[in-house]
Amino acid sequence: MPELDAVDRQIINHWQGGFPICEHPYAAVAGQLGIAEDELLQRLERLLADKVLTRFGPMMQIERMGGAFVLAALAVPEERYETVAALVNALPQVAHNYRREHLLNMWFVLATEAPAGIAEAIARIERDTGLPVHAFPKEREYFVEMKLAVRA
């Protein structure tokens, strides 16, 4: 893990939620941190490049924007796992892909701009892999808002 200074920790601890919605949000955040906007952007780029952060951006409720998402799973033969993972991950509709110790050993999230895109993505995965996709549409939504604090 790269060394984090007090400003890095402030960025991570204070901006996991409540990022300002305004014309110049990075300048607003930088001002609150007492640094220049360019420095904030450079720090974010470094934190992403160093894999301290895996993502920095908004979380959207895609269904309110007309899109759709679904949790999906495959039962992938072990000898084909890496090949199938590469095929699945190549699709822009795949948001996450996790390996599990289970008969359904590959779990991923499909997110599309329109509900019809889910069926299209599933058909593409089934055609490319030759494996049936098990889709688990959302029945109920929970908002967890887990935040992880960085300490010195």
Side-chain angles (χ1 to χ4, degrees), residues 21-122:
I21 298 173
C22 61
E23 189 170 348
H24 301 286
Y26 292 100
V29 169
Q32 293 179 33
L33 293 169
I35 61 176
E37 182 180 14
D38 286 347
E39 181 181 348
L40 172 63
L41 294 172
Q42 289 171 2
R43 284 175 178 270
L44 287 171
E45 287 176 10
R46 179 179 42 79
L47 292 168
L48 290 165
D50 291 346
K51 308 288 186 204
V52 172
L53 301 176
T54 57
R55 181 181 180 280
F56 188 86
M59 297 291 288
M60 306 289 185
Q61 214 302 341
I62 195 168
E63 291 155 326
R64 291 184 182 175
M65 299 168 54
F69 66 94
V70 68
L71 179 64
L74 290 168
V76 182
E78 190 58 38
E79 66 276 8
R80 294 186 55 211
Y81 194 90
E82 294 304 320
T83 301
V84 171
L87 291 169
V88 170
N89 292 342
L91 294 177
Q93 299 92 340
V94 175
H96 304 84
N97 190 342
Y98 301 97
R99 185 182 190 115
R100 294 287 186 245
E101 300 299 323
H102 185 271
L103 174 63
L104 298 174
N105 56 352
M106 182 180 293
W107 289 78
F108 49 95
V109 174
L110 294 171
T112 60
E113 293 180 10
I118 296 294
E120 293 168 10
I122 288 173

Side-chain angles (χ1 to χ4, degrees), residues 115-135:
I118 296 294
E120 293 168 10
I122 288 173
R124 168 84 185 269
I125 292 168
E126 289 180 335
R127 185 183 67 238
D128 290 353
T129 66
L131 299 170
V133 173
H134 302 271

